[in-house]
Amino acid sequence: MTFRVLGVGSSLRDKASSTTALSVALNLASKYGAETRIFDLRQNKLPLYDPGENDSSLEIKKITEDVSWADALILSTPDYHGSMSGAMKNFLDYFWAEFAGKTFGYICASHEKGLTAMDQMRTAIRQCYGWSMPYGVSINDREDFTDGKMNPKLESRLDMLARDLVVYGTILRQQFVKDLGESANTFASRYRK
């Protein structure tokens, strides 16, 4: 079974460093045997989440298919005042139920370290019963890009994230799926159909 990784980019800025880094991370995940897809919220805008609405737009159908397909996700956001982008928060509001048993990696573009924004994404994913990598990749445009080109240190950090997400994510996902099929009292048992 091929491990599947969905990258979700949430910057609404053209040529955003967070989205560029996400694309690189997904290419690196492919190097480790993963099948990858990207969903760029700049190009595929989701309507504001309304729990009372049953939105069946093409954007919602496409991203629902992608999130269901994925075994793991990489969430990428700019740091807006110590938090994730509104587009990312809106995405998380839509798909919380589909995150259980999946592993998440994080990328944050920030003039600081983006730790608060990544912690907020981790908190949201934990509340949705997803697994999080214990570290994320922080990007500082001035330090990590020269003349629009990514420096090797950033690429190395993204490579580590991609490798670890595929290796550890595969183990967690396989156990979660196995537990779905067993009768034992497990974390996965609440998700049996």
Side-chain angles (χ1 to χ4, degrees), residues 84-99:
M84 68 187 96
S85 72
M88 179 59 74
K89 177 63 171 91
N90 192 47
F91 166 79
L92 295 175
D93 288 343
Y94 266 101
F95 298 104
W96 58 271
E98 290 83 0
F99 295 157

Side-chain angles (χ1 to χ4, degrees), residues 49-69:
Y49 178 70
D50 180 347
E53 290 288 316
N54 185 7
D55 193 323
S56 60
S57 66
L58 291 177
E59 291 85 5
I60 298 300
K61 286 181 182 176
K62 169 69 173 124
I63 189 61
T64 299
E65 175 188 303
D66 285 349
V67 170
S68 296
W69 166 87

Side-chain angles (χ1 to χ4, degrees), residues 54-165:
N54 185 7
D55 193 323
S56 60
S57 66
L58 291 177
E59 291 85 5
I60 298 300
K61 286 181 182 176
K62 169 69 173 124
I63 189 61
T64 299
E65 175 188 303
D66 285 349
V67 170
S68 296
W69 166 87
D71 296 308
L73 291 89
I74 301 174
L75 304 181
S76 179
T77 186
D79 180 340
Y80 289 151
H81 313 292
S83 186
M84 68 187 96
S85 72
M88 179 59 74
K89 177 63 171 91
N90 192 47
F91 166 79
L92 295 175
D93 288 343
Y94 266 101
F95 298 104
W96 58 271
E98 290 83 0
F99 295 157
K102 297 183 181 190
T103 306
F104 287 76
Y106 305 96
I107 296 171
C108 184
S110 176
H111 66 281
E112 294 178 342
K113 293 190 179 201
L115 297 177
T116 305
M118 284 190 273
D119 282 346
Q120 290 175 358
M121 290 188 291
R122 269 192 199 91
T123 298
I125 295 307
R126 184 181 66 238
Q127 293 297 112
C128 301
Y129 301 103
W131 302 98
S132 287
M133 295 300 299
Y135 63 89
V137 175
S138 178
I139 302 165
N140 183 310
D141 287 358
R142 288 177 295 212
E143 296 173 9
D144 293 320
F145 289 89
T146 305
D147 297 325
K149 293 187 178 184
M150 182 180 294
N151 74 32
K153 286 184 178 180
L154 174 57
E155 189 164 351
S156 176
R157 294 192 315 262
L158 293 169
D159 184 65
M160 183 174 73
L161 177 68
R163 182 259 180 210
D164 288 354
L165 184 70

